[in-house]
Amino acid sequence: MAERKPVIITAEQLAEQRRYIEEIRSLPQRPRSYFVVTYGCQMNAHDSETIAGMLQEMGMAEAPDREHADFVIFNTCCVRDNAERRALGNVTWLKEVRKQNPNLIIAVCGCMIQQPGMAEKILKQYKFIDLAFGTTNLYKLPELLCRKLNEDRAVVVVEDKDTIAENLPMKRLRKDFAYITIMYGCDNFCSYCIVPYVRGRERSREMDAILAEARQLKESGVKEIMLLGQNVNSYGKGLEGDVTFAGLLRKLEEIGIPRIRFMTSHPKDLSDELIEVMRTSKCILPQFHLPVQAGNDDILQQMNRHYSREKYLNRVRALREAVPGIGLTTDIIVGFPGETEEQFQDTMSLVKEVGYDSAFTFIYSPRTGTKAAAMLDQIPDDVATDRIQRLIALQDQCQKEAMSRFVGMEEEVLVEGLSRRSKTAVSGKGRHGVSITLPGSEKDIGEIVRVRVTEIKNNTLMAERIEERK
Ligand code: SAH
Ligand code: SF4
Ligand code: F3S
């Protein structure tokens, strides 16, 4: 693969986009309200915060739902076929809403659009879409929308560049919690995965830009940050000097935000230096999302993951030794091409051996253009479905056992909202990444509360409050 350099969006280019924002504000035919529909991972959730930020600056207000908005934008995912189908189904359904509101503008962006051939497909097959753009030209939303409003014809633009744009407007979903992107794209090319094709080459943000953003968040009262990247462990590659993820964490810690977490980590790049930072840190939460994907060495090799089962287990042991009780979660794919029952059993035994707090399990979904999609021996749906069911059942059981370690333990919960089951209870995540329910009310939302876990009820940790020691 040819070396591609990131394209840093300059201040002038951003100023140009600001002028488009002003122009939209002055247009009589501009949409007055917006609604963002988000699919996929945290990257997309965070991009949607940027989209909302830009739309607000254009003078639009957030609508209560998609049926009552003048501008609806779908931020899509294509990591698996069902993610893509769901997005396209919902976009198509919106055509009906346009019958009530003829001025409705339908926009689609994100990973699905960035796939090769998608722009042509939209222009031919999805003529009702007004505006479509990929992941790398997100910062150009003002310009593209302006064009759409002035020219009154579909605007579909997908560029093949690896951009980094700093200082975009942003409307954060929460006041107490914030995402910070530390790197974009991915260079790993796991053989099943489309992300490197739709998010571009791996590129790290400058450390100073990340630290400045974190300081500003701290000042605005944010209590928890989540650092985002497809492979945060390789942060710093391509930057000048000896910049590592562990080094970035050390610097972030000095800023004093009480809770720091990150995702996603790739086992092959999980360094001893990082484990050491986790061991000594007070702010980095004792939790780790470490996708394993499979428990069999041959399958791991076919997946192009660059680690063996033993190496993975070794990292798990090192993490547990350094941070006793650490919360471990993972991603697993079943039914990868050629996976035999025996090889699947290796995944089962690994799940048992590790004892994850939770696992995201997926049936392998062939993605056009990836290496695995061309592999012979694709696994029939019924076999894959049977395997995932057995895996989920096993994980449920392991999860129960893993959860029991929390009973009697003191924890700190960042309260996210009222509990769904009771009006006098609230819930949020503990330091280990597990949801905890405790007595409380609306005024606790956004606060960190000290608790003691008392029992497990319906798979949820229940806790009592501990009075603050003065
Ligand atoms: N960068 C992260 C996550 C990427 S996508 C990582 O390396 O782990 C999130 C998860 O989706 C992956 O961990 C993988 O388990 C799953 N996934 C990716 N491509 C898939 C495919 N083609 N079929 C099924 N699951 C897939
Ligand atoms: Fe996909 Fe692998 Fe990159 Fe994760 S590390 S985004 S699974 S290619
Ligand atoms: Fe999906 Fe794109 Fe994330 S494909 S998982 S939204 S990076």
Side-chain angles (χ1 to χ4, degrees):
M1 180 101 359
E3 185 74 7
R4 289 194 351 185
K5 281 225 168 327
V7 179
I8 315 281
I9 306 307
T10 61
E12 289 78 54
Q13 284 171 297
L14 284 184
E16 192 188 350
Q17 296 302 319
R18 294 227 153 255
R19 287 195 289 278
Y20 284 113
I21 289 181
E22 289 312 315
E23 186 176 339
I24 291 174
R25 289 183 82 103
S26 69
L27 292 176
Q29 76 274 30
R30 74 178 163 91
R32 306 286 155 154
S33 60
Y34 73 89
F35 193 78
V36 188
V37 186
T38 309
Y39 301 92
C41 63
Q42 285 84 358
M43 314 269 164
N44 260 20
H46 190 35
D47 283 348
S48 288
E49 294 183 320
T50 302
I51 294 169
M54 290 196 269
L55 297 176
Q56 296 242 336
E57 296 216 343
M58 291 172 203
M60 292 186 222
E62 189 175 11
D65 52 47
R66 62 188 93 171
E67 287 83 2
H68 294 90
D70 297 336
F71 180 81
V72 178
I73 180 160
F74 293 84
N75 190 10
T76 60
C77 170
C78 58
V79 76
R80 283 170 293 277
D81 182 52
N82 54 6
E84 202 171 335
R85 271 209 313 256
R86 205 154 52 98
L88 275 173
N90 282 324
V91 174
T92 309
W93 174 81
L94 211 65
K95 259 198 320 189
E96 297 304 310
V97 176
R98 191 182 269 152
K99 289 181 187 150
Q100 268 91 57
N101 178 6
N103 294 325
L104 170 66
I105 296 177
I106 301 177
V108 188
C109 67
C111 295
M112 192 179 88
I113 303 299
Q114 193 73 37
Q115 293 178 96
M118 200 61 186
E120 294 76 23
K121 190 168 162 186
I122 287 196
L123 287 168
K124 270 207 209 105
Q125 284 179 29
Y126 296 91
K127 290 203 167 82
F128 59 93
I129 293 177
D130 300 297
L131 176 63
F133 56 91
T135 54
T136 65
N137 42 8
L138 178 68
Y139 74 98
K140 278 194 183 167
L141 169 60
E143 177 181 343
L144 303 177
L145 180 56
C146 202
R147 234 165 84 190
K148 160 69 202 154
L149 293 171
N150 284 324
E151 295 174 13
D152 199 28
R153 63 180 177 83
V155 173
V156 178
V157 183
V158 183
E159 291 170 355
D160 187 23
K161 284 188 196 142
D162 301 328
T163 51
I164 299 183
E166 294 290 347
N167 300 318
L168 293 177
M170 198 168 296
K171 180 178 180 278
R172 300 215 182 242
L173 288 169
R174 283 169 59 181
K175 284 200 174 66
D176 55 330
F177 168 90
Y179 295 119
I180 303 185
T181 304
I182 63 164
M183 48 130 52
Y184 300 91
C186 182
D187 279 352
N188 288 316
F189 290 94
C190 301
S191 62
Y192 50 81
C193 185
I194 197 153
V195 171
Y197 302 90
V198 293
R199 286 274 172 178
R201 295 290 60 71
E202 185 176 307
R203 52 215 189 271
S204 295
R205 278 178 77 194
E206 290 291 340
M207 198 190 279
D208 286 347
I210 297 169
L211 295 176
E213 186 174 349
R215 273 187 215 107
Q216 195 200 338
L217 289 168
K218 155 94 176 139
E219 256 160 50
S220 72
V222 161
K223 298 194 172 92
E224 181 175 305
I225 52 172
M226 183 187 243
L227 310 176
L228 294 181
Q230 293 297 351
N231 177 10
V232 289
N233 300 165
S234 74
Y235 169 78
K237 208 171 83 182
L239 292 181
E240 269 180 38
D242 188 18
V243 184
T244 63
F245 181 52
L248 171 68
L249 284 174
R250 281 208 181 90
K251 285 262 191 281
L252 279 167
E253 239 192 339
E254 289 167 13
I255 292 174
I257 295 170
R259 294 165 55 122
I260 302 176
R261 52 189 176 126
F262 50 84
M263 73 187 302
T264 298
S265 295
H266 196 304
K268 79 174 163 64
D269 296 314
L270 205 187
S271 66
D272 290 336
E273 188 195 8
L274 173 57
I275 295 179
E276 181 57 20
V277 174
M278 302 249 344
R279 190 179 71 79
T280 51
S281 170
K282 291 209 165 55
C283 316
I284 302 165
L285 297 183
Q287 51 176 272
F288 217 100
H289 184 60
L290 194 59
V292 67
Q293 313 299 359
N296 173 272
D297 284 345
D298 288 334
I299 294 290
L300 284 170
Q301 199 178 7
Q302 292 286 309
M303 286 178 162
N304 196 29
R305 290 291 288 179
H306 295 281
Y307 54 84
S308 62
R309 174 193 178 100
E310 192 39 46
K311 181 167 176 210
Y312 182 90
L313 289 172
N314 167 297
R315 296 288 76 188
V316 167
R317 279 192 290 271
L319 279 169
R320 284 197 161 138
E321 220 165 87
V323 188
I326 190 168
L328 283 176
T329 52
T330 200
D331 292 349
I332 299 169
I333 298 176
V334 305
F336 184 81
E339 185 189 63
T340 63
E341 174 63 25
E342 218 179 345
Q343 289 170 327
F344 168 66
Q345 285 304 330
D346 286 342
T347 298
M348 294 282 273
S349 68
L350 180 130
V351 163
K352 230 176 173 166
E353 193 167 338
V354 176
Y356 295 105
D357 286 341
S358 71
F360 299 91
T361 50
F362 308 107
I363 290 181
Y364 165 74
S365 165
R367 305 281 66 207
T368 309
T370 62
K371 208 169 154 204
M375 288 178 184
L376 302 171
D377 236 351
Q378 302 280 327
I379 302 296
D381 286 350
D382 56 336
V383 175
T385 305
D386 173 61
R387 285 183 190 162
I388 201 165
Q389 281 167 354
R390 283 186 281 152
L391 179 63
I392 292 171
L394 173 68
Q395 172 53 27
D396 276 355
Q397 197 192 325
C398 296
Q399 196 158 324
K400 278 200 187 92
E401 284 163 30
M403 288 299 120
S404 63
R405 78 182 184 284
F406 291 112
V407 177
M409 195 162 135
E410 286 190 15
E411 254 286 13
E412 278 174 5
V413 182
L414 176 57
V415 177
E416 276 170 53
L418 293 175
S419 153
R420 262 174 289 158
R421 294 206 175 129
S422 154
K423 285 200 181 86
T424 56
V426 291
S427 69
K429 291 238 160 66
R431 291 173 57 81
H432 294 78
V434 177
S435 288
I436 298 177
T437 301
L438 56 138
S441 64
E442 211 137 296
K443 72 175 182 2
D444 295 312
I445 296 173
E447 299 297 330
I448 295 175
V449 180
R450 289 192 55 227
V451 299
R452 179 176 292 102
V453 178
T454 50
E455 59 172 335
I456 304 172
K457 213 160 124 186
N458 304 322
N459 284 331
T460 311
L461 295 183
M462 310 300 290
E464 61 189 13
R465 300 172 82 112
I466 307 176
E467 290 311 315
E468 289 300 326
R469 277 177 232 127
K470 290 269 152 50

